[in-house]
Amino acid sequence: MDNHSIKVNYCSTGKVKPKSDELEFGRIFTDHMFIMDYSDSLGWHDARIIPYQPLLIDPSAMVFHYGQSVFEGLKAYHTPEGDAQLFRPKKNLERINRSNDRLCIPELDEEFALHAIKQLVGIDKDWIPKADGTSLYIRPFIISTEAYLGVAPSRHYQFIVILSPVGAYYKEGINPVKIAVENKYVRTVAGGTGEAKTGGNYAASLKAQELVANSGYAQVLWLDGVEREYIEEVGSMNVFFKINGEIVTPALNGSILKGVTRDSVIELLKHWDIPVVERKISMQELYDAHENGSLEEAFGAGTAAVISPIGQLTWNGDHIIINNAETGSVSKKLYDTLTGIQYGKQEDPFGWIEKVKAVSKVK
Amino acid sequence: MDNHSIKVNYCSTGKVKPKSDELEFGRIFTDHMFIMDYSDSLGWHDARIIPYQPLLIDPSAMVFHYGQSVFEGLKAYHTPEGDAQLFRPKKNLERINRSNDRLCIPELDEEFALHAIKQLVGIDKDWIPKADGTSLYIRPFIISTEAYLGVAPSRHYQFIVILSPVGAYYKEGINPVKIAVENKYVRTVAGGTGEAKTGGNYAASLKAQELVANSGYAQVLWLDGVEREYIEEVGSMNVFFKINGEIVTPALNGSILKGVTRDSVIELLKHWDIPVVERKISMQELYDAHENGSLEEAFGAGTAAVISPIGQLTWNGDHIIINNAETGSVSKKLYDTLTGIQYGKQEDPFGWIEKVKAVSKVK
């Protein structure tokens, strides 16, 4: 396959775009989608951009039965100069290939996949919303489509990219949330699929999230599946704590997702000479730090919210109030800098930004 | 909804049925399928039997991204009298509802679901193959279909039943297999989704299976995700050992699937006054039993193979040969009795069999 040949079939009339203040997350999709097929005889082939449309899939396709799927999430941002840009997209494509390896899904050509994403975003560039805090969410994913009920890696796949204009995560400024520490359910365990971005991890998380949502908590904090003691992630974000002036985040251990925002936070902290360490941290240690006054801040880090300050952690009935339930200074500085770079309002000394060219629709 | 109203749309011309000796597992599907929709406003509705056909699903449907799905597997058997019958189907429907609860999927009406399965099998009764050891595999499953990328339980689902004529599992009689004990990967862990029949558990298992298949092993034996010491399942079957005349199977602990065949094996053993116990059993204990000569038999139990004798277990490089790699007498008796009841060649003192009436196609 010529690495850069993508057939394009434009939709005849575009859909009406939503108003910026009506945007939610992940409910509205743009005019086009990217799709590419895999078969064991042809490899990845037939890359094409087509009007956004339903998929026609056999009911015996493996994705419906054995969950062999992976996905990614990143965003395109509109800059004050009218440019469209992506934030560290190569990191997402490196990760989808690590997920592919764990799930026995054939490797993607990362360079070609990035080209495909850029071309799709370029075609639907007018869909990137312009209001503060809004963006175009990009969802690349791979599903197993072989019509076969045997438990074995599929021999057919589709790699698909869809785009969704999304509203500001914080409508009224960055805002601390309440989190419940989960003692009964686990998200995953070392030796499982926790390091991969695959559906099963999210399916496993729904029950715990649903139970705490009824009590007013935004997310759960996941503990490790072995000792039920060490902190792993919060909801679908990585988590950081400021203890005695040092930033601590759980070390990658095989069951924690290697977040792109997590990595960016660590790089920024190092750049600022703020001490940061990746290590095991237990809930007891965190509780003790709270008790002796050394727990100064806590925040989640992920693509959706960028930085999500944690104002309260509830553990075994104890309510741990962090930084008077206010946004801490490190959280604020990270949020402002990351969004500043993402939206092109601030210099990018790290080479994290990839520009996207508009594609003119020559039919 | 009238509990027994299923609209039927027959296909105009049936497909050509495969010959018995050409049958594999799960590659060919019958003429019809059952489908029913769920929305939070209407509940389960629009139950219908239609010609087997691809599903038309939005690419943002949650099943493709967050793995919110459950499934079941059971079989219809052709008896010497020409009847069609099912083996303990209510057990599968009880389990799909337990899986639903764990995955935040709305409950099914079990009685109605059984009625739907019987009507579908009745319509495609001619598809039940007649040769020894063949059967019609029934795959009920539920997928989340809401077009939404938020990580939350879907508000729309489809419950679907498809049918596949399958060949004899043992072409040349029941046959012991080689199994590798898995030390690196785990299937799931307590607090996870191991007790539910959901895609993520199977997706997580592919990598380990693929690695050992290359070395000639049929399946892996899964150890617990916490201590990596206690035996959980073998491949996608439950597992039993005969030690010193007593049958031991791992106790249900939250991460082991509660198999219908497992339950039937335990009931049969009790009926025969053969001692059977459900408890924790470690690989070390099994190894020691092998060393001191008290490990007499080992076998997997599941819908596909019914009983699968284990002739060899490989653990940390040690090859444990069980019963001279021959099928043991308890394995053989269980296999003969279970298949005897399933195929209607033997009395069913337990009330395990449900007859299926042929449905005449009145168009």
Side-chain angles (χ1 to χ4, degrees):
Chain A
M1 179 170 75
D2 168 4
N3 228 5
H4 291 114
S5 78
I6 299 175
K7 265 181 293 180
V8 182
N9 174 18
Y10 292 104
C11 61
S12 47
T13 48
K15 290 180 274 193
V16 176
K17 296 179 184 66
K19 293 185 183 133
S20 276
D21 58 356
E22 288 168 357
L23 288 171
E24 294 179 62
F25 177 84
R27 291 211 181 269
I28 291 168
F29 298 90
T30 66
D31 288 329
H32 298 92
M33 61 196 277
F34 173 85
I35 188 163
M36 177 164 71
D37 299 318
Y38 179 92
S39 68
D40 49 5
S41 53
L42 295 174
W44 288 110
H45 65 281
D46 199 9
R48 57 209 187 268
I49 289 172
I50 58 174
Y52 187 92
Q53 61 192 264
L55 305 171
L56 198 64
I57 303 186
D58 198 274
S60 68
M62 302 186 73
V63 66
F64 296 133
H65 305 270
Y66 308 130
Q68 199 194 5
S69 67
V70 296
F71 71 94
E72 274 301 326
L74 66 162
K75 288 175 174 175
Y77 306 89
H78 179 84
T79 74
E81 289 75 33
D83 286 346
Q85 60 186 33
L86 309 177
F87 182 74
R88 310 189 78 185
K90 285 173 186 144
K91 285 272 167 197
N92 296 92
L93 295 167
E94 287 166 16
R95 185 169 62 188
I96 206 170
N97 268 338
R98 289 197 304 274
S99 301
N100 282 339
D101 181 65
R102 181 64 183 85
L103 275 297
C104 302
I105 294 174
E107 195 175 21
L108 280 180
D109 177 332
E110 292 169 23
E111 195 191 325
F112 179 68
L114 178 57
H115 169 70
I117 288 170
K118 284 182 172 176
Q119 191 169 355
L120 179 65
V121 172
I123 285 172
D124 280 344
K125 182 170 178 288
D126 290 349
W127 279 87
I128 307 177
K130 297 179 176 59
D132 259 10
T134 64
S135 58
L136 185 68
Y137 185 79
I138 303 167
R139 168 57 57 92
F141 63 107
I142 301 177
I143 53 174
S144 47
T145 53
E146 186 180 357
Y148 175 45
L149 293 182
V151 180
S154 176
R155 296 183 303 188
H156 300 127
Y157 300 87
Q158 291 194 310
F159 172 56
I160 299 169
V161 186
I162 56 177
L163 307 175
S164 173
V166 299
Y169 194 90
Y170 299 106
K171 305 250 187 253
E172 295 158 6
I174 183 171
N175 197 17
V177 292
K178 283 164 56 171
I179 303 282
V181 180
E182 177 60 41
N183 285 319
K184 181 176 177 190
Y185 296 104
V186 301
R187 178 182 162 271
T188 177
V189 70
T193 55
E195 219 170 46
K197 212 162 169 73
T198 182
N201 299 338
Y202 296 79
S205 78
L206 295 173
K207 182 88 175 173
Q209 298 278 15
E210 192 179 52
L211 292 172
V212 301
N214 295 337
S215 313
Y217 294 95
Q219 305 266 5
V220 300
L221 184 144
W222 298 108
L223 299 180
D224 77 280
V226 174
E227 300 179 69
R228 304 291 188 104
E229 195 177 316
Y230 294 97
I231 293 168
E232 299 231 309
E233 301 186 20
V234 53
S236 48
M237 294 186 285
N238 294 114
V239 66
F240 291 78
F241 304 98
K242 186 178 172 210
I243 301 171
N244 241 339
E246 183 184 65
I247 311 289
V248 180
T249 192
L252 301 176
N253 60 358
S255 60
I256 293 175
L257 194 77
K258 191 180 174 192
V260 177
T261 311
R262 177 186 184 278
D263 187 81
S264 309
V265 163
I266 293 170
E267 284 207 39
L268 272 177
L269 292 170
K270 287 180 177 169
H271 184 70
W272 293 334
D273 287 327
I274 295 176
V276 54
V277 58
E278 301 172 65
R279 64 168 170 86
K280 280 175 99 164
I281 175 166
S282 70
M283 254 324 287
Q284 188 61 53
E285 178 186 345
L286 199 72
Y287 185 80
D288 294 344
H290 164 68
E291 287 290 288
N292 69 29
S294 62
L295 176 59
E296 296 157 2
E297 285 187 48
F299 56 93
T303 294
V306 188
I307 298 295
S308 181
I310 299 170
Q312 178 183 318
L313 267 177
T314 298
W315 184 45
N316 295 333
D318 272 326
H319 302 298
I320 304 174
I321 307 294
I322 302 166
N323 194 37
N324 291 318
E326 289 164 12
T327 299
S329 59
V330 173
S331 307
K332 186 72 169 61
K333 188 174 177 184
L334 284 165
Y335 179 80
D336 290 344
T337 306
L338 284 168
T339 55
I341 293 172
Q342 287 165 342
Y343 286 91
K345 296 176 178 175
Q346 196 164 328
E347 202 196 343
D348 166 28
F350 307 101
W352 285 345
I353 293 301
E354 298 248 2
K355 295 281 182 188
V356 175
K357 284 191 202 125
V359 175
S360 48
K361 297 179 178 56
V362 183
K363 300 198 184 181
Chain B
M1 178 171 73
D2 168 3
N3 228 6
H4 291 116
S5 78
I6 298 175
K7 265 181 292 181
V8 182
N9 176 17
Y10 292 104
C11 62
S12 47
T13 47
K15 290 179 275 195
V16 175
K17 296 180 183 66
K19 292 183 185 135
S20 275
D21 57 357
E22 289 168 357
L23 287 171
E24 294 179 62
F25 177 83
R27 290 212 181 268
I28 290 168
F29 298 90
T30 66
D31 288 329
H32 298 92
M33 61 195 277
F34 173 84
I35 187 163
M36 176 164 73
D37 299 319
Y38 179 92
S39 68
D40 49 5
S41 53
L42 296 174
W44 288 111
H45 65 282
D46 199 9
R48 57 208 188 268
I49 289 172
I50 58 174
Y52 188 92
Q53 60 191 266
L55 305 171
L56 197 64
I57 303 188
D58 197 274
S60 67
M62 302 185 73
V63 66
F64 296 134
H65 304 271
Y66 307 130
Q68 199 194 4
S69 66
V70 296
F71 70 93
E72 275 301 327
L74 66 162
K75 288 175 174 174
Y77 306 89
H78 178 84
T79 73
E81 291 74 35
D83 287 346
Q85 59 186 33
L86 309 178
F87 182 73
R88 308 190 79 185
K90 286 174 185 143
K91 286 273 168 196
N92 295 91
L93 296 167
E94 287 166 15
R95 186 170 61 187
I96 205 169
N97 269 337
R98 289 197 305 274
S99 301
N100 283 339
D101 181 64
R102 180 64 183 85
L103 274 297
C104 301
I105 294 175
E107 194 175 21
L108 281 179
D109 178 331
E110 292 169 23
E111 195 190 326
F112 179 69
L114 178 56
H115 169 69
I117 288 170
K118 284 182 172 176
Q119 191 168 355
L120 179 65
V121 172
I123 287 172
D124 280 346
K125 183 172 178 288
D126 290 348
W127 279 87
I128 306 177
K130 297 180 176 58
D132 259 10
T134 63
S135 57
L136 185 67
Y137 184 78
I138 303 168
R139 168 57 57 91
F141 63 107
I142 301 177
I143 53 174
S144 47
T145 53
E146 186 180 357
Y148 175 45
L149 293 182
V151 180
S154 176
R155 296 183 303 187
H156 300 127
Y157 300 87
Q158 292 194 310
F159 171 56
I160 299 169
V161 185
I162 56 178
L163 307 175
S164 173
V166 298
Y169 195 89
Y170 298 106
K171 305 250 187 254
E172 295 157 5
I174 183 170
N175 197 16
V177 293
K178 282 164 53 172
I179 303 282
V181 180
E182 177 59 42
N183 285 320
K184 181 174 178 191
Y185 297 105
V186 300
R187 178 181 162 271
T188 177
V189 69
T193 55
E195 219 171 47
K197 212 163 170 71
T198 182
N201 299 339
Y202 296 80
S205 78
L206 295 174
K207 182 89 176 173
Q209 299 278 16
E210 192 180 51
L211 292 172
V212 301
N214 296 336
S215 311
Y217 293 95
Q219 304 266 5
V220 299
L221 183 142
W222 299 108
L223 299 180
D224 77 281
V226 174
E227 300 178 70
R228 304 291 188 102
E229 196 176 316
Y230 294 97
I231 293 168
E232 300 231 308
E233 301 186 20
V234 52
S236 47
M237 294 185 285
N238 295 114
V239 65
F240 291 78
F241 304 97
K242 186 178 172 211
I243 301 172
N244 241 340
E246 182 184 64
I247 311 288
V248 180
T249 191
L252 301 176
N253 60 359
S255 61
I256 293 174
L257 194 78
K258 192 180 172 192
V260 177
T261 310
R262 176 186 184 278
D263 188 81
S264 309
V265 164
I266 293 171
E267 283 206 40
L268 273 177
L269 292 169
K270 286 179 178 169
H271 184 70
W272 292 333
D273 285 327
I274 295 176
V276 54
V277 58
E278 302 173 62
R279 63 167 171 88
K280 280 175 98 163
I281 175 166
S282 71
M283 254 324 287
Q284 189 62 51
E285 178 187 344
L286 199 71
Y287 185 80
D288 293 345
H290 164 68
E291 287 291 287
N292 70 29
S294 61
L295 175 59
E296 297 157 1
E297 284 188 48
F299 57 92
T303 293
V306 188
I307 298 294
S308 181
I310 299 170
Q312 178 183 320
L313 267 177
T314 298
W315 184 44
N316 295 332
D318 272 327
H319 302 299
I320 304 173
I321 307 294
I322 303 165
N323 193 37
N324 292 320
E326 288 164 13
T327 299
S329 59
V330 173
S331 307
K332 184 74 170 60
K333 187 173 178 188
L334 283 165
Y335 179 79
D336 289 344
T337 307
L338 284 168
T339 55
I341 293 173
Q342 287 165 345
Y343 286 91
K345 297 175 177 174
Q346 194 163 329
E347 201 196 343
D348 166 27
F350 307 101
W352 285 345
I353 292 300
E354 298 249 0
K355 295 280 182 190
V356 174
K357 284 191 202 125
V359 175
S360 48
K361 297 181 178 55
V362 183
K363 302 202 183 179

